[in-house]
Amino acid sequence: MKHLLSPLDLSVEELNNLLDLARDISHNPDKYSKRCEGKKLATLFYEPSTRTRLSFEAAMLNLGGSVLGFSSANSSSASKGESVADTIRVISCYADIAAMRHPKEGAPMVAASVSRIPVINAGDGGHQHPTQTLTDLMTIRELGGSLDNFTIGLCGDLKFGRTVHSLISSLVRYSNIKFVLISPKELRIPDYIREDVLKENNCDFVEVESLDDVIGDLDFLYMTRVQRERFFSEDEYLRMKGFYVLDKAKMAKAKENMYVLHPLPRVNEISVEVDDDPRAAYFKQAQFGVYVRMALILTLLGLDK
Amino acid sequence: MKHLLSPLDLSVEELNNLLDLARDISHNPDKYSKRCEGKKLATLFYEPSTRTRLSFEAAMLNLGGSVLGFSSANSSSASKGESVADTIRVISCYADIAAMRHPKEGAPMVAASVSRIPVINAGDGGHQHPTQTLTDLMTIRELGGSLDNFTIGLCGDLKFGRTVHSLISSLVRYSNIKFVLISPKELRIPDYIREDVLKENNCDFVEVESLDDVIGDLDFLYMTRVQRERFFSEDEYLRMKGFYVLDKAKMAKAKENMYVLHPLPRVNEISVEVDDDPRAAYFKQAQFGVYVRMALILTLLGLDK
Amino acid sequence: MKHLLSPLDLSVEELNNLLDLARDISHNPDKYSKRCEGKKLATLFYEPSTRTRLSFEAAMLNLGGSVLGFSSANSSSASKGESVADTIRVISCYADIAAMRHPKEGAPMVAASVSRIPVINAGDGGHQHPTQTLTDLMTIRELGGSLDNFTIGLCGDLKFGRTVHSLISSLVRYSNIKFVLISPKELRIPDYIREDVLKENNCDFVEVESLDDVIGDLDFLYMTRVQRERFFSEDEYLRMKGFYVLDKAKMAKAKENMYVLHPLPRVNEISVEVDDDPRAAYFKQAQFGVYVRMALILTLLGLDK
């Protein structure tokens, strides 16, 4: 039995198989609509994350399975002092697979170590959120046709954004990916990503401050939020905030087949005027997220064949 | 595709078709028990409303469909600042139809304007609660045999009670309905209902202060709560509170086939001693609420034929 | 129609039938996997209890039924002042059976008195928690082969622990059960259990202070939590706390076929080093809890044949 704790738990081959399966599901949903009949997914959300939770629930329901669980810690036994290890042991009696969201890094790993059922990390603190990364990879692959030979812009808070770190770490395993890292100086990618991931893999990348300067070069633009309180000073914030807001004017400079991704929720870093642009792919991404979670559930339950 | 935002979104013909369907469902539930197999309802409750939420969930489950969603805003992405428009765009990827409850008037309308799936307004602030009105109409029609030729008493807080306003606005489209409006002066129906709805439609109505005086004339009595804090003075409250509490003594003066309705929850405006009276129809009403929501889901999904 | 409000609502014969059915379910789950198709369980949890709620939900889902409800009072109509009686009358329109957890003793009984559907008490304050008792009885019966002729140790807080009181009250109906009651003096079983249950039934029992002294005599050891604040003094607590913590050293003195039970959640009264001991049965117990709830739902719905 296997778990999914980090996006790198999957080899490139396993990942490609998973994305192939997700693609087949997206084209032939009826073929899979009873595949998980009689199976139960437990959604163990120690902190609320509506979008991720509902994406998992939709995935399991689309497969003909059912769902039980909790959506925040205060409605769980955690408040009575039960350990994550004990909880998953009990949940192993109730469900066939579990998706766990937890504010503490490593909690899903602890759970997996004693679980009798597959555990999916649905986000653990600032650490990992592997199904978001799988969603991002499927989106790039479906819209671009492959995961090779792209110039990919990552824009916003590259320091704290775990989705960005995971996406980079996954994409360096493919061929000829060039990264354009767009952020204020305060929010550049951490050293371990720059040194141990990008340079270690001889990956082509540049770091810039302004989206405007580079948007024309990109095949994909991955937007993230930039929070005001993360700037060194109010002056800096005021000087730079516009650099990281995607609007129609910036889109006019982009390639005709550049796609815009965003892990959602967005606040104001993508202007709503961009929503109707055919290159805006962030809501399609939410749809791919369901397919990739369906593929993951099938794979971990051994029902993918 | 259509949404249901206000009870008046439906023409009289559409409404009659819906109520016919609801009646058929109530008589032949098995015929419909798999009609929504593979379909998903999203219950998006930005404020708690257990009864309404569970009525929708029971409706969808009775149709063989499944349910996902959230039951209060603090377990939703709203707390991360996401707009209702973005939420429904994402939910459109997860579900086939959505029921939205929101404290702000108009929120379901905003959602409907960008949604790819039908949106049902499950109550937006003091504005509309169309499925309650459909429930009330079905109850009158099933118990009375039609929606024409009745004297209908509406009792309690007629000023702020949205269910009362919606019910009046819907019933004026039928023939020979006479309204008896029973409330303290402070809580009489608003001018726009009196002038633009009742008078505009040449509808027969009287406004009185005491339920006792008129209960003998009624075919239906629709009770609502009167909150202490809505009276001008404590003296007024003490003088009048008994006027609006339905008890056995008042029921003794009512017709033998008068039915009592209430949108629930009740507090003390209907004495529990009335519960066993065969004319007490407020719990039957909850049952009709499930049937009418089943009919609505089928109609909006185009599965009514 | 019947409800389950107390473990003693069931005669010994009914209880044996229920446990037989639970056993058959555990051996042939597929035989029962569609038995509740089209049926709905309402989980009415006025206070959170994740484990109990999810055990009921897993049970109903395993039977092919579906689930609706609420997991805490603040997401229920209780906050609008609705009575438990009114709530269950409405829920009777939405579901086929209900499991109710309530902080107030007697609330499920009030509900049952007006309900049109079977009501299961899923815990009411310090009063009863009958499905926990059924779980405990099934565990003893499955692991020990019967419910007769055992020496059963009950350890920890025997004064306030409702699961202990219910278990004793149920087991005295079987033959040749000897109880070893292990607790600090402050937390000995209440008089009404000692006089009206144990002595009244001529039951063999001893009361001791130290687990170490008696563990070698036991066929089953039922552990419960001892809370610090329940001791008379800090000195007492420090002197005695080790007496009630089960660890490897104590397990070494126990019989080779003694089983350890615990209603969960545990805090630290069973050391995690005991978890891998084959005699540790507290997680198996959680599994039996699902089977026995499946049997109960089938029995109350009249679907057990």
Side-chain angles (χ1 to χ4, degrees):
Chain A
M1 201 215 28
K2 282 186 63 175
H3 308 282
L4 184 73
L5 302 175
S6 148
L8 300 180
D9 288 354
L10 299 168
S11 69
V12 170
E13 194 193 339
E14 288 172 321
L15 180 58
N16 289 340
N17 288 342
L18 185 85
L19 296 177
D20 284 344
L21 177 58
R23 177 183 295 167
D24 193 54
I25 291 169
S26 75
H27 294 160
N28 309 291
D30 289 351
K31 190 170 137 190
Y32 297 90
S33 67
K34 310 240 172 183
R35 199 62 79 87
C36 281
E37 220 169 37
K39 300 291 179 190
K40 282 163 284 142
L41 166 71
T43 48
L44 312 176
F45 277 58
Y46 288 85
E47 63 179 7
S49 175
T50 310
R51 190 174 308 90
T52 302
R53 180 172 60 82
L54 295 185
S55 182
F56 272 109
E57 298 194 9
M60 191 52 159
L61 294 173
N62 285 347
L63 294 165
S66 50
V67 178
L68 46 76
F70 51 86
S71 57
S72 67
N74 58 352
S75 63
S76 89
S77 299
S79 53
K80 295 185 190 162
E82 186 174 61
S83 71
V84 162
D86 276 16
T87 298
I88 196 73
R89 280 190 183 103
V90 171
I91 294 294
S92 296
C93 303
Y94 297 168
D96 301 284
I97 186 167
M100 178 180 288
R101 175 88 161 205
H102 204 288
K104 281 202 194 140
E105 298 188 10
M109 198 180 66
V110 171
S113 70
V114 298
S115 178
R116 291 193 289 114
I117 60 174
V119 173
I120 301 169
N121 180 359
D124 60 333
H127 191 222
Q128 299 282 359
H129 187 7
T131 58
Q132 179 64 50
T133 305
L134 296 178
T135 300
D136 299 340
L137 293 172
M138 181 178 183
T139 306
I140 293 171
R141 195 171 182 250
E142 294 307 298
L143 297 178
S146 83
L147 285 166
D148 303 310
N149 307 314
F150 293 122
T151 299
I152 296 180
L154 299 155
C155 177
D157 177 354
L158 307 186
K159 185 171 179 185
F160 298 101
R162 65 182 169 184
T163 60
V164 166
H165 306 163
S166 288
L167 185 56
I168 292 174
S169 302
S170 293
L171 281 170
V172 296
R173 305 196 291 179
Y174 289 86
S175 301
N176 194 27
I177 296 292
K178 177 175 174 178
F179 293 101
V180 181
L181 306 170
I182 310 148
S183 75
K185 279 208 190 78
E186 294 94 325
L187 298 175
R188 288 168 65 186
I189 50 162
D191 278 348
Y192 81 91
I193 294 287
R194 189 181 298 102
E195 301 299 324
D196 303 348
V197 181
L198 289 168
K199 290 189 180 167
E200 187 73 21
N201 286 278
N202 297 310
C203 207
D204 199 352
F205 71 96
V206 291
E207 299 188 72
V208 300
E209 271 204 322
S210 165
L211 174 55
D212 245 332
D213 296 347
V214 294
I215 193 167
D217 304 331
L218 306 177
D219 299 310
F220 288 91
L221 170 58
Y222 194 92
M223 294 293 298
T224 66
R225 236 181 317 163
V226 181
Q227 291 169 277
R228 189 177 197 137
E229 60 272 27
R230 294 226 159 122
F231 283 85
F232 282 150
S233 70
E234 183 70 10
D235 282 352
E236 276 283 280
Y237 171 74
L238 291 172
R239 183 176 71 85
M240 301 192 69
K241 64 175 182 173
F243 287 26
Y244 309 106
V245 174
L246 185 65
D247 54 18
K248 267 194 166 171
K250 289 197 186 74
M251 285 300 284
K253 300 181 183 171
K255 289 183 187 173
E256 274 190 22
N257 59 353
M258 182 200 77
Y259 290 103
V260 182
L261 277 62
H262 190 297
L264 302 180
R266 71 160 155 194
V267 179
N268 57 3
E269 60 279 7
I270 301 179
S271 167
V272 292
E273 68 187 21
V274 175
D275 292 357
D276 294 327
D277 192 304
R279 295 169 292 181
Y282 30 94
F283 294 118
K284 277 194 197 104
Q285 206 175 343
Q287 182 67 67
F288 290 130
V290 177
Y291 295 134
V292 90
R293 287 182 177 94
M294 290 171 74
L296 180 63
I297 289 169
L298 289 175
T299 303
L300 293 178
L301 288 175
L303 298 171
D304 47 324
K305 304 297 175 207
Chain B
M1 198 215 30
K2 282 186 63 175
H3 307 284
L4 184 74
L5 302 175
S6 148
L8 299 180
D9 288 354
L10 299 169
S11 69
V12 171
E13 196 193 335
E14 287 171 322
L15 180 58
N16 289 341
N17 288 341
L18 185 85
L19 296 177
D20 284 343
L21 177 58
R23 178 183 295 165
D24 193 55
I25 291 169
S26 75
H27 293 159
N28 308 291
D30 288 352
K31 191 171 137 190
Y32 297 91
S33 69
K34 308 239 174 183
R35 199 62 78 88
C36 281
E37 218 169 40
K39 300 291 178 190
K40 283 163 282 143
L41 166 71
T43 48
L44 311 177
F45 277 57
Y46 288 86
E47 63 179 8
S49 175
T50 311
R51 192 175 307 90
T52 302
R53 180 172 61 82
L54 295 185
S55 181
F56 272 109
E57 298 194 9
M60 191 53 160
L61 295 171
N62 285 348
L63 294 165
S66 50
V67 178
L68 47 76
F70 51 87
S71 57
S72 67
N74 60 351
S75 64
S76 88
S77 299
S79 53
K80 293 184 190 165
E82 187 173 59
S83 71
V84 162
D86 277 17
T87 297
I88 196 73
R89 280 191 184 102
V90 171
I91 294 295
S92 296
C93 303
Y94 296 168
D96 301 284
I97 186 167
M100 178 181 287
R101 175 88 161 206
H102 203 287
K104 283 202 192 140
E105 298 187 11
M109 197 180 66
V110 170
S113 71
V114 299
S115 177
R116 291 193 289 113
I117 60 174
V119 173
I120 300 169
N121 179 359
D124 58 334
H127 191 223
Q128 300 281 359
H129 188 6
T131 58
Q132 180 64 49
T133 305
L134 296 178
T135 300
D136 300 340
L137 293 172
M138 181 177 183
T139 306
I140 294 172
R141 196 172 181 249
E142 293 307 298
L143 298 179
S146 83
L147 286 166
D148 304 311
N149 308 314
F150 293 122
T151 298
I152 296 181
L154 298 156
C155 177
D157 178 355
L158 307 186
K159 185 173 181 185
F160 297 103
R162 66 182 168 185
T163 60
V164 166
H165 306 163
S166 289
L167 185 56
I168 292 173
S169 303
S170 293
L171 281 171
V172 295
R173 306 195 292 179
Y174 290 86
S175 301
N176 195 26
I177 296 292
K178 179 177 172 178
F179 292 102
V180 180
L181 306 170
I182 308 147
S183 74
K185 279 208 191 80
E186 293 93 329
L187 297 175
R188 288 167 65 186
I189 51 161
D191 279 348
Y192 81 92
I193 295 286
R194 189 180 300 103
E195 302 298 327
D196 303 348
V197 181
L198 288 168
K199 292 190 180 167
E200 187 74 20
N201 286 279
N202 297 310
C203 207
D204 200 353
F205 71 96
V206 292
E207 299 190 71
V208 300
E209 270 203 325
S210 166
L211 175 56
D212 245 331
D213 296 345
V214 293
I215 193 166
D217 304 329
L218 306 177
D219 299 309
F220 288 92
L221 170 58
Y222 194 93
M223 294 294 297
T224 67
R225 236 182 315 165
V226 180
Q227 291 169 278
R228 190 178 197 133
E229 58 273 26
R230 296 229 159 119
F231 282 85
F232 282 150
S233 69
E234 184 70 11
D235 282 352
E236 276 283 280
Y237 172 74
L238 291 173
R239 183 176 70 85
M240 301 191 69
K241 64 175 182 175
F243 288 25
Y244 309 107
V245 173
L246 185 65
D247 53 18
K248 268 195 166 169
K250 289 198 187 73
M251 286 299 284
K253 300 182 184 172
K255 290 184 187 172
E256 274 191 21
N257 60 352
M258 183 202 75
Y259 290 104
V260 182
L261 277 64
H262 191 298
L264 303 180
R266 70 157 156 196
V267 179
N268 57 3
E269 60 279 6
I270 300 178
S271 167
V272 293
E273 67 188 18
V274 175
D275 293 356
D276 294 327
D277 191 305
R279 295 170 291 181
Y282 30 93
F283 294 119
K284 277 193 198 104
Q285 207 175 344
Q287 182 67 69
F288 289 130
V290 177
Y291 295 134
V292 90
R293 286 181 178 94
M294 291 171 75
L296 180 63
I297 290 168
L298 288 176
T299 302
L300 292 178
L301 288 175
L303 298 170
D304 46 325
K305 304 297 174 204
Chain C
M1 198 214 31
K2 284 186 61 174
H3 308 283
L4 185 74
L5 303 176
S6 148
L8 300 180
D9 288 353
L10 298 169
S11 69
V12 171
E13 194 193 338
E14 288 172 321
L15 180 58
N16 288 342
N17 288 342
L18 185 87
L19 295 177
D20 283 345
L21 177 57
R23 178 183 293 165
D24 193 55
I25 291 169
S26 75
H27 294 159
N28 308 292
D30 289 350
K31 190 171 137 191
Y32 298 90
S33 69
K34 310 239 172 183
R35 199 61 78 90
C36 282
E37 219 169 37
K39 300 291 179 193
K40 284 163 282 146
L41 165 72
T43 49
L44 311 177
F45 276 58
Y46 288 85
E47 65 179 7
S49 175
T50 310
R51 191 173 309 89
T52 302
R53 180 172 61 83
L54 295 185
S55 181
F56 272 109
E57 298 194 9
M60 190 52 160
L61 295 172
N62 285 348
L63 294 165
S66 50
V67 179
L68 46 77
F70 51 87
S71 57
S72 67
N74 59 351
S75 64
S76 90
S77 299
S79 53
K80 295 185 190 163
E82 187 173 60
S83 70
V84 162
D86 276 16
T87 297
I88 196 72
R89 280 191 183 103
V90 171
I91 294 294
S92 296
C93 303
Y94 297 168
D96 301 284
I97 186 167
M100 178 181 287
R101 175 87 162 208
H102 204 288
K104 282 201 193 141
E105 297 186 12
M109 198 181 65
V110 170
S113 70
V114 298
S115 178
R116 291 194 289 113
I117 59 174
V119 173
I120 301 169
N121 180 359
D124 58 334
H127 190 223
Q128 299 282 359
H129 188 7
T131 57
Q132 180 63 52
T133 306
L134 295 178
T135 300
D136 299 340
L137 293 171
M138 182 178 182
T139 306
I140 293 171
R141 195 172 182 248
E142 293 308 297
L143 298 178
S146 83
L147 285 167
D148 303 311
N149 307 314
F150 292 122
T151 299
I152 296 180
L154 298 156
C155 176
D157 176 353
L158 307 186
K159 184 172 182 186
F160 298 101
R162 64 180 169 186
T163 59
V164 166
H165 306 164
S166 288
L167 186 57
I168 292 174
S169 303
S170 293
L171 282 170
V172 295
R173 306 196 292 179
Y174 290 86
S175 302
N176 194 28
I177 296 292
K178 178 177 175 179
F179 293 102
V180 181
L181 305 169
I182 309 147
S183 73
K185 278 206 191 80
E186 294 92 327
L187 298 175
R188 288 167 66 185
I189 50 161
D191 278 349
Y192 81 92
I193 294 286
R194 188 181 300 101
E195 302 300 324
D196 303 349
V197 181
L198 290 168
K199 291 190 181 167
E200 186 73 21
N201 286 279
N202 297 310
C203 206
D204 200 351
F205 71 96
V206 292
E207 298 189 71
V208 301
E209 271 204 324
S210 166
L211 175 55
D212 244 333
D213 295 347
V214 294
I215 192 166
D217 303 329
L218 307 177
D219 299 310
F220 288 92
L221 169 59
Y222 194 92
M223 294 293 297
T224 66
R225 237 180 315 163
V226 181
Q227 292 170 276
R228 189 177 198 136
E229 58 273 26
R230 296 230 158 115
F231 282 84
F232 284 148
S233 70
E234 183 70 11
D235 281 354
E236 276 284 280
Y237 172 74
L238 292 173
R239 184 177 69 86
M240 301 189 69
K241 63 175 183 175
F243 287 25
Y244 308 107
V245 174
L246 185 66
D247 54 18
K248 267 194 166 170
K250 290 198 187 71
M251 284 300 284
K253 300 181 182 170
K255 290 184 187 172
E256 274 191 24
N257 60 351
M258 183 202 73
Y259 289 104
V260 182
L261 277 62
H262 190 296
L264 302 180
R266 69 159 157 196
V267 178
N268 57 4
E269 60 278 7
I270 301 178
S271 167
V272 293
E273 68 187 19
V274 175
D275 292 356
D276 294 328
D277 191 305
R279 295 169 292 181
Y282 29 94
F283 295 118
K284 276 193 198 105
Q285 206 175 343
Q287 182 67 68
F288 289 131
V290 177
Y291 296 134
V292 90
R293 287 182 178 95
M294 291 171 74
L296 179 63
I297 290 169
L298 288 175
T299 302
L300 292 178
L301 288 176
L303 299 170
D304 47 324
K305 304 297 175 206

